[in-house]
Amino acid sequence: MAATRGGAGLSGPPPAADEREAELEAEGVAPHAPRRVASTPLLLLEAMRPKQWIKNTFVFAGLAFAGKVTDPKDVAIAVGTFVAFCLASGAAYLLNDVRDAEADRHNPRTASRPIARGALSPTLALVAAGISALVALGFAAFVNLETLAVLGGFVLLQIAYSSGLKHILFVDVMALSAGFVLRAAAGGLAIEVPISSWLLLCTGLLAIIQGFTKRRAEAVALGGTAQPRREVLDHYSVGLLDELIAVVTPSTVVVYAIYAVTGAHTHWMLLTLPFVLYGVFRVLFLIHHHGAMTEEPAVIVYRARPLLACVVLWGVCAATIAAIAGA
């Protein structure tokens, strides 16, 4: 039965709500202002997670290491390849969110995604994903057939990841790493420069660190040192992930140091090693002191300014050394 006020038999909010409405009106604020609804294009863009597109900057690695950053044609090709991977990864996010919509609704971290909260139609999302993937493949085909083949493999990998690989212990992180390796390989193939095996190896190891870092943050959020209750995380624990990170991190530094000494065009590339060391140290610091930030590793660069500065300085240093060596 509805509550009554003043014996008038009219339903209404409790006195506390009346008081709050009066305060809002006195402040000139509408008590029931409608929530602004985003347009469909903006919802699609949000669902494609543009903040995550920073991962696609790995396509510029070949450009930097080959010393081609001053060549307008190669820069334009690399940018086009970057756009293609952004569209492809955006399509993958749309597909993933459609498949995981129900689970996302019960997860505080993902419940606000457009499809999970019901603001974006799953059917429309799938159509947009298909169109985005086709446009991405068109961009890649315009570059060259090798880039098209790599991007096609990337798309298939993302579909396989969303369909089941992300639920398999260790394979989930290795699949994520493979995606980064494909990005770096496509960047080299696009501008037709030799693809360094050292570059691909360093890229893969860095991506594995990122993957295990993300899993650790999720494990902490879901249960600390206890076994988390969530698909692949049921098999991970914080202790195991700490050991895995401890194995992969020094391996990455050693591989990069060997590359700088024996694999690079010039020994001057050793000057970039301090940036790599600092970056790794900074990530380890964030893992243990600001773990919540590492739940989305790709976004760390936006939030951790020292790490962002380190990445930028490494890129400038590496590109400058490569350009001088190639002159």
Side-chain angles (χ1 to χ4, degrees):
M1 180 180 295
T4 59
R5 286 185 298 165
L10 299 174
S11 61
D18 282 346
E19 295 174 3
R20 181 55 184 160
E21 287 187 8
E23 293 175 1
L24 290 171
E25 290 174 356
E27 295 170 2
V29 179
H32 295 293
R35 182 179 178 178
R36 187 174 182 179
V37 179
S39 64
T40 298
L42 289 178
L43 287 171
L44 284 170
L45 180 62
E46 179 185 349
M48 293 174 76
R49 304 185 210 172
K51 286 186 177 181
Q52 298 289 338
W53 293 352
I54 191 173
K55 299 174 184 177
N56 299 316
T57 56
F58 274 80
V59 303
F60 295 113
L63 191 72
F65 279 94
K68 299 279 190 176
V69 293
T70 57
D71 187 323
K73 179 181 177 182
D74 286 333
V75 171
I77 292 173
V79 170
T81 306
F82 170 77
V83 171
F85 271 88
C86 288
L87 291 171
S89 57
Y93 287 129
L94 287 170
L95 174 62
N96 182 77
D97 286 0
V98 169
R99 296 182 65 91
D100 294 348
E102 186 59 34
D104 286 347
R105 292 188 185 98
H106 302 287
N107 186 333
R109 186 175 64 85
T110 58
S112 62
R113 290 175 179 171
I115 298 173
R117 70 176 188 257
L120 183 63
S121 163
T123 301
L124 178 59
L126 289 176
V127 171
I131 294 174
S132 182
L134 288 174
V135 173
L137 292 170
F139 265 102
F142 183 77
V143 174
N144 56 44
L145 292 179
E146 291 82 0
T147 304
L148 173 62
V150 174
L151 183 61
F154 176 82
V155 171
L156 291 176
L157 177 64
Q158 298 310 305
I159 293 174
Y161 180 80
S162 296
S163 300
L165 293 184
K166 66 181 180 181
H167 301 311
I168 304 176
L169 181 69
F170 303 138
V171 174
D172 61 326
V173 173
M174 295 173 69
L176 290 173
S177 175
F180 282 89
V181 172
L182 289 174
R183 289 176 174 99
L189 290 170
I191 60 175
E192 300 179 351
V193 298
I195 302 173
S196 168
S197 56
W198 290 105
L199 170 62
L200 299 183
L201 186 56
C202 289
T203 299
L205 288 171
L206 283 171
I208 288 176
I209 292 176
Q210 173 183 295
F212 285 141
T213 297
K214 176 179 175 65
R215 293 292 180 262
R216 185 188 187 279
E218 291 172 340
V220 170
L222 292 174
T225 57
Q227 294 289 339
R229 307 178 305 278
R230 184 184 158 198
E231 291 291 339
V232 72
L233 290 179
D234 290 338
H235 306 290
Y236 283 116
S237 68
V238 175
L240 172 61
L241 288 163
D242 280 338
E243 292 184 23
L244 294 171
I245 292 171
V247 169
V248 180
T249 301
S251 301
T252 305
V253 174
V254 170
V255 167
Y256 187 86
I258 294 175
Y259 154 74
V261 174
T262 65
H265 296 300
T266 171
H267 289 171
W268 286 104
M269 194 60 74
L270 273 171
L271 292 175
T272 64
L273 184 58
F275 298 112
V276 174
L277 286 171
Y278 178 84
V280 169
F281 295 159
R282 193 72 190 180
V283 169
L284 292 175
F285 168 79
L286 293 172
I287 288 173
H288 294 285
H289 295 278
H290 300 280
M293 290 180 64
T294 60
E295 196 166 350
E296 289 293 344
V299 187
I300 290 178
V301 178
Y302 297 120
R303 300 174 180 173
R305 292 183 179 179
L307 187 59
L308 174 60
C310 176
V311 171
V312 171
L313 289 173
W314 171 85
V316 171
C317 186
T320 302
I321 292 172
I324 294 174

